[in-house]
Amino acid sequence: MTEGVGQAKNYADKLSIRFTYSTNGKGVYGIDMEEGTEGELSSFPTPDELWNMTFPEKNEWRDRFAAIPFEDKGGTFQPRYYQDVAVSRAMEAVATCVERILLTLATGTGKTFIAFQIAWKLFYSRWNLSREPSRRPRILFLADRNILADQGYNAFSAFPEDAMVRIDPADIRKKGKVPRTPACSLRSSRRL
């Protein structure tokens, strides 16, 4: 039963998860990566038991964010493990009222995908600065090149059409103000 424990611990470490399990089909061996305890169990915990073990303190926003699944393009796209970790850590920071969050990711790691998933969870949970889920938040996705703004706008296409607007700097110059009504805004950054 313990032959897969090393592999379970390696996966738990990579995924930054607290609890991991190993089984030989006859018994279950559980490991708590945070406390360093491990041993045989009579069965796997239920999803609710695992949630309560992982998050013993209640947090309404964490629960709201967790209830919103990743947008997976109809099941055709699964996030890479580090993208899942990045989104989870960002949402945990928002849920615990951290005021500044910085994710540092290399080229090609899916920063736009991560930004989209964070915006998706904020939008559909109705998170906003008042922390009252009465209205959807306004989210600005800012890009420093038009090609990146185009990529972002296309990546965010799963949002309702009336929730997004592509802000053109020329329109801002003409009208003298930035449109504020849409829930999500995507902007290219030519000089204003």
Side-chain angles (χ1 to χ4, degrees):
M1 176 174 19
T2 59
E3 288 125 17
V5 169
Q7 185 178 14
K9 287 180 178 180
N10 285 338
Y11 285 147
D13 189 45
K14 283 183 179 182
L15 295 171
S16 298
I17 57 175
R18 180 173 176 183
F19 299 101
T20 188
Y21 302 91
S22 176
T23 183
N24 62 2
K26 296 178 183 173
V28 178
Y29 194 83
I31 302 113
D32 182 334
M33 299 291 288
E34 189 175 293
E35 291 184 4
T37 57
E38 53 188 83
E40 290 185 32
L41 304 173
S42 59
S43 65
F44 286 106
T46 66
D48 287 337
E49 289 170 338
L50 189 56
W51 181 264
N52 292 332
M53 290 179 348
T54 305
F55 304 110
E57 294 179 24
K58 299 294 179 205
N59 182 307
E60 177 188 347
W61 282 105
R62 180 184 52 227
D63 295 346
R64 287 178 74 90
F65 295 148
I68 298 164
F70 272 46
E71 165 54 37
D72 63 1
K73 300 179 183 179
T76 62
F77 188 85
Q78 292 299 312
R80 292 175 234 150
Y81 75 90
Y82 56 84
Q83 293 169 329
D84 194 351
V85 169
V87 172
S88 295
R89 287 185 179 167
M91 300 319 300
E92 181 67 23
V94 171
T96 57
C97 300
V98 172
E99 290 188 17
R100 293 174 184 249
I101 304 163
L102 175 66
L103 298 175
T104 306
L105 298 144
T107 300
T109 56
K111 293 179 288 296
T112 302
F113 173 80
I114 291 167
F116 168 82
Q117 295 299 338
I118 292 169
W120 185 261
K121 286 181 175 279
L122 293 172
F123 185 82
Y124 283 102
S125 69
R126 295 182 169 269
W127 181 90
N128 57 66
L129 291 175
S130 73
R131 299 187 74 78
E132 293 294 325
S134 56
R135 67 170 185 82
R136 298 197 190 278
R138 292 186 179 113
I139 300 167
L140 175 68
F141 181 91
L142 185 65
D144 64 352
R145 287 171 273 170
N146 285 330
I147 193 163
L148 296 176
D150 292 341
Q151 176 191 3
Y153 194 81
N154 293 334
F156 281 63
S157 65
F159 280 98
E161 193 173 315
D162 64 346
M164 295 190 336
V165 66
R166 173 82 186 260
I167 301 172
D168 185 351
D171 289 343
I172 297 170
R173 277 193 295 276
K174 286 179 194 171
K175 297 176 184 172
K177 64 181 180 177
V178 176
R180 294 182 52 144
T181 50
C184 290
S185 298
L186 295 155
R187 181 186 150 208
S188 61
S189 66
R190 288 182 282 212
R191 296 227 178 244
L192 302 178

